[in-house]
């Protein structure tokens, strides 16, 4: 009987996406802003028909050279939901399991917690099956160049992993 209750309890976690919102809510604020930026860019594509939610972080790092400046790098997954694109309240949106994850990388500079316009924030999202090693290399180079273009002496991607 206890095993049945445990099974039903764990099944309820699969049925409701609240854990996705909890994962998003547990992100530090600068990382949330990057996820929001990626979701906004993704939703702007006409070919996207479903609402997407943050699924999980793969890798994140930050470099803080001082003076309230941070360079943020975040690699994460987005997952399609059963809700239509443009859904305002995503609390009832369940994840779809028939679509591949979208692998996103964002890197940007923040000043006093706000994303700076210069250097231009970088957002790159692609369905996981289409992600190539060349794309991974290009992403890393772009994010490293972002830090160098602003005069930072350290590689952004070498500061740590999640």
């Amino acid at each position: 009987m206890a095993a049945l209750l445990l099974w039903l309890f764990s099944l309820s976690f699969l049925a409701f996406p609240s854990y996705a919102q909890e994962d998003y809510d547990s992100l530090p604020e600068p990382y949330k802003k990057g996820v929001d930026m990626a979701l906004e860019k993704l939703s702007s594509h006409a070919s996207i028909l479903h609402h997407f939610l943050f699924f999980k972080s793969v890798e994140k790092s930050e470099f803080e050279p001082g003076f309230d400046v941070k360079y943020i790098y975040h690699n994460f997954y987005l997952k399609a939901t059963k809700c239509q694109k443009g859904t305002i309240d995503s609390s009832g949106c369940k994840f779809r399991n028939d679509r591949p994850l979208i692998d996103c990388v964002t890197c940007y500079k923040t000043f006093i917690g706000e994303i700076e316009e210069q250097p231009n924030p970088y957002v790159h999202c692609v369905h996981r099956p289409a992600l190539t090693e060349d794309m991974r290399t290009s992403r890393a180079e772009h994010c490293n160049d972002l830090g160098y273009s602003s005069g930072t002496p350290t590689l952004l991607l070498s500061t740590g992993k999640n």
Side-chain angles (χ1 to χ4, degrees), residues 14-138:
L14 294 175
F16 300 102
S18 62
Y19 62 88
Q21 188 62 38
E22 290 172 10
D23 288 345
Y24 174 82
D25 289 344
S26 69
L27 286 173
E29 197 60 36
Y31 292 95
K32 285 182 189 177
K33 290 178 181 181
V35 170
D36 294 344
M37 188 170 48
L39 285 168
E40 184 178 315
K41 184 174 179 180
L42 184 66
S43 292
S44 71
H45 290 279
S47 63
I48 299 297
L49 303 176
H50 294 94
H51 185 71
F52 281 78
L53 290 174
F54 174 80
F55 186 62
K56 75 174 186 174
S57 290
V58 177
E59 181 180 1
K60 57 185 175 186
S61 65
E62 61 185 62
F63 171 68
E64 192 169 350
F67 305 105
D68 288 323
V69 171
K70 283 186 184 179
Y71 291 90
I72 305 290
Y73 170 84
H74 192 192
N75 181 200
F76 54 91
Y77 296 146
L78 300 176
K79 191 168 185 175
T81 68
K82 294 181 180 183
C83 293
Q84 293 299 310
K85 179 169 81 172
T87 299
I88 304 294
D89 180 14
S90 59
S91 62
C93 296
K94 296 178 184 177
F95 282 135
R96 296 176 64 117
N97 291 320
D98 62 343
R99 300 282 191 266
L101 294 174
I102 293 186
D103 187 300
C104 291
V105 164
T106 60
C107 51
Y108 45 91
K109 176 184 175 185
T110 65
F111 177 65
I112 312 175
E114 296 300 319
I115 296 175
E116 291 285 288
E117 290 183 28
Q118 292 299 321
N120 288 333
Y122 177 72
V123 177
H124 184 266
C125 295
V126 64
H127 282 99
R128 286 215 51 224
L131 184 62
T132 65
E133 198 57 44
D134 286 344
M135 285 181 195
R136 289 179 199 266
T137 301
S138 176

